[in-house]
Amino acid sequence: MSIDFDNVIDRTNTSSLKWDRFASDVIPLWVADMDFKSAPEIIEALHERIDHGVFGYTMPDGELEQLVVERCRNLYHWDIEPEWIVWMPGLVSALNVCVRAYAGKREGVISPIPVYYPFLTAPKLANRELIGVEWIKSDGRWMLDLDGLEKKINSSTKLLMLCNPQNPNGRVFTRDELKALEQFCKKHNLIVCSDEVHCDLILDRHAEHIPYASISDYARDHSVTLMSPSKTFNLAGFGCAFTIIPDGKVRHQFNATRSGIVPSPDSTLIGYAATKAAYRHGEPWRQSLLDYLRGNHDYLMEQINSIPGLSMEPLQATYLAWIDVSELQLEDPHQFFEQAGVGLSPGKQFGDANYLRLNFGCSRSILEEAIGRIKTAIINR
């Protein structure tokens, strides 16, 4: 499929969170949405729905749910049932529901650190205890320190929140790693909330996304899986996501906790139309996107690792680079590069101030300009 991802689309004056965050002379490479047009089939389906002209309350139909079932089977070799699917307006709200549903006040919730920052704020907002499991380097690869975690938890620990593929270091868990996590959770009787929103964005051709819930009967019956088309197809503005909760009791706890607080799935009409088109017709576009992102990734890694004071490990997934800036010994790395004209996400937000996160889901020319500014800023500091 021939898609011109090099085409630069002007997003200024479009109420874009990404592009309105910084001054007009700053290139925004922070929040996780891409600067690419969505698949033509999605845009066409949205036009058809808009042309109908009536936008009342809605519901996810059987066809949409069957598309989710088929996608899980075809892409991840995971057989699910339509009744396991619970639709949500977003995955951050689902994270927060899980914290409240499966851990009581002052009980423990485990989260990787560093990680996408709502994992860190959700337990605190609900008056639950946040227990961090650290990422450590082993043979040049990021690994979760389960031995260290073993020393931190107790019988009041109830929930483990997983991010796979991991945001921000891009790790894709192997089956052996997931098995080790499953054994840990089985030993301590933990529910797992697995955020798998980046599962369709595997850059490493030797890596495979394996849903945590698919590895065993225990994992299936003690887990909540979070997914959405938002990152893959650049549909973040539609507020359409879903959880997959196989066990009836676990699903009831989730639904009882969200009831009356999180909006019911009857107001996501445009989101459902976009999701249906994405899952029915979007695969050729996704494959073209992956090819382009792999090119951006390789270019970025070569450039970053050639700049004194910066380093970056290869990503297995996502379009979010995790860049080590510790050697620069900057008081505020985020501010330093913003002043140089590049808006990045501060690593402190994710749990490690020695890093910055860079979104390379943009045209190559914008990425090249940003790298040029970064180089110049470091040379002239």
Side-chain angles (χ1 to χ4, degrees), residues 182-325:
E182 184 244 11
Q183 289 301 308
F184 181 91
C185 294
K186 192 172 184 178
K187 175 182 177 181
H188 296 286
N189 194 29
L190 302 176
I191 296 289
V192 171
C193 172
S194 184
D195 178 357
E196 303 182 10
V197 70
H198 292 281
C199 61
D200 295 339
L201 296 168
I202 308 297
L203 305 181
D204 182 347
R205 296 183 188 275
H206 301 290
E208 174 191 11
H209 177 70
I210 302 169
Y212 170 80
S214 71
I215 64 172
S216 73
D217 290 348
Y218 181 86
R220 178 196 63 207
D221 294 338
H222 295 80
S223 66
V224 176
T225 302
L226 313 184
M227 290 182 171
S228 171
S230 62
K231 302 305 180 190
T232 307
F233 296 99
N234 216 27
L235 303 176
F238 285 143
C240 186
F242 54 92
T243 68
I244 301 173
I245 314 176
D247 183 79
K249 181 180 177 181
V250 176
R251 190 165 61 250
H252 174 75
Q253 286 177 267
F254 184 93
N255 283 326
T257 303
R258 67 166 282 177
S259 180
I261 300 173
V262 179
S264 61
D266 59 7
S267 56
T268 318
L269 183 145
I270 300 299
Y272 291 148
T275 301
K276 190 181 293 186
Y279 287 171
R280 187 191 290 131
H281 302 297
E283 188 59 18
W285 183 92
R286 183 178 77 95
Q287 292 300 329
S288 295
L289 170 71
L290 286 173
D291 287 341
Y292 195 84
L293 291 177
R294 287 174 181 129
N296 273 2
H297 168 272
D298 294 349
Y299 167 79
L300 179 64
M301 193 171 72
E302 179 184 10
Q303 293 297 314
I304 289 296
N305 287 323
S306 72
I307 301 173
L310 300 183
S311 64
M312 171 186 163
E313 298 290 337
L315 298 170
Q316 291 184 299
T318 81
Y319 48 82
L320 305 167
W322 191 230
I323 300 172
D324 187 342
V325 297

Side-chain angles (χ1 to χ4, degrees), residues 2 18 41 53 62 109 139 148 164 175 193 199 290 319 325 339 347 363:
S2 179
K18 182 178 183 180
E41 294 86 353
V109 176
D139 296 327
N164 179 35
R175 186 173 297 277
C193 172
C199 61
L290 286 173
Y319 48 82
V325 297
Q339 290 174 345
S363 69

Side-chain angles (χ1 to χ4, degrees), residues 148-201:
L149 177 61
E150 189 77 53
K151 301 171 185 177
K152 295 180 181 181
I153 69 170
N154 54 43
S155 60
S156 69
T157 307
K158 302 298 183 183
L159 177 70
L160 186 148
M161 295 192 293
L162 184 64
C163 189
N164 179 35
Q166 167 72 12
N167 173 11
N169 69 28
R171 270 302 319 280
V172 176
F173 287 93
T174 65
R175 186 173 297 277
D176 285 345
E177 288 174 309
L178 293 173
K179 281 286 188 181
L181 275 170
E182 184 244 11
Q183 289 301 308
F184 181 91
C185 294
K186 192 172 184 178
K187 175 182 177 181
H188 296 286
N189 194 29
L190 302 176
I191 296 289
V192 171
C193 172
S194 184
D195 178 357
E196 303 182 10
V197 70
H198 292 281
C199 61
D200 295 339
L201 296 168

